Amino acid sequence: MKWIDIPPVWLLLAVVVTWWTAQLQPMSWALGGPVTELLGGLLVGGGIVLILLAAAEMRKQRTTIIPHLEADKLVTSGIFKRSRNPIYLGDLLILAGLALRWEAPVALLLVPLFLGTITARFIVPEENRLRRKFRADF
């Protein structure tokens, strides 16, 4: 069951809760639909672009994108010059964007909860593995 403990599964769970919250909470933003739809769409689009750029760079460097596996290389090129964790940042942008797009302000509380979860379950262990394996380069 270790396959289920991967970031996309956690993101999917958070997205489902966000959607469910939007369905139960018929409260709209004071700004109205078009503004939140545009902002939400930009965040979702930006998140997808970050994830694709990171995946392409990791593939180019021939290292794994799967968090539980040992990395073959420390990727510091491409989008990784700007962010150490662009995929997780992309996940956060997607989640926040969907909460805005679906006009579910209460669901924005999931963003820091999701961040805490992926930090504890994935980011800290990954960073520790990379630090041990690539020492000076890290």
Side-chain angles (χ1 to χ4, degrees), residues 52-97:
L52 291 175
L53 288 172
E57 192 62 30
M58 292 177 91
R59 183 177 177 162
K60 180 177 159 187
Q61 297 295 325
R62 295 194 171 129
T63 192
T64 185
I65 195 169
I66 301 170
H68 297 300
L69 299 180
E70 191 73 28
D72 295 321
K73 291 184 179 177
L74 180 66
V75 182
T76 58
S77 55
I79 192 65
F80 289 93
K81 287 181 182 177
R82 305 242 183 251
S83 172
R84 183 68 237 140
N85 295 292
I87 295 174
Y88 299 131
L89 179 57
D91 289 346
L92 289 172
L93 292 176
I94 290 169
L95 183 58

Side-chain angles (χ1 to χ4, degrees), residues 6-72:
I6 56 174
V9 172
W10 287 94
L11 177 61
L12 180 62
L13 177 63
V15 165
V16 167
V17 172
T18 298
W19 179 84
W20 180 70
T21 302
Q23 301 308 303
L24 291 179
Q25 173 201 325
M27 179 170 94
S28 292
W29 291 83
L31 297 172
V35 173
T36 56
E37 283 184 21
L38 175 63
L39 184 56
L42 290 172
L43 289 173
V44 170
I48 291 169
V49 167
L50 277 176
I51 292 168
L52 291 175
L53 288 172
E57 192 62 30
M58 292 177 91
R59 183 177 177 162
K60 180 177 159 187
Q61 297 295 325
R62 295 194 171 129
T63 192
T64 185
I65 195 169
I66 301 170
H68 297 300
L69 299 180
E70 191 73 28
D72 295 321

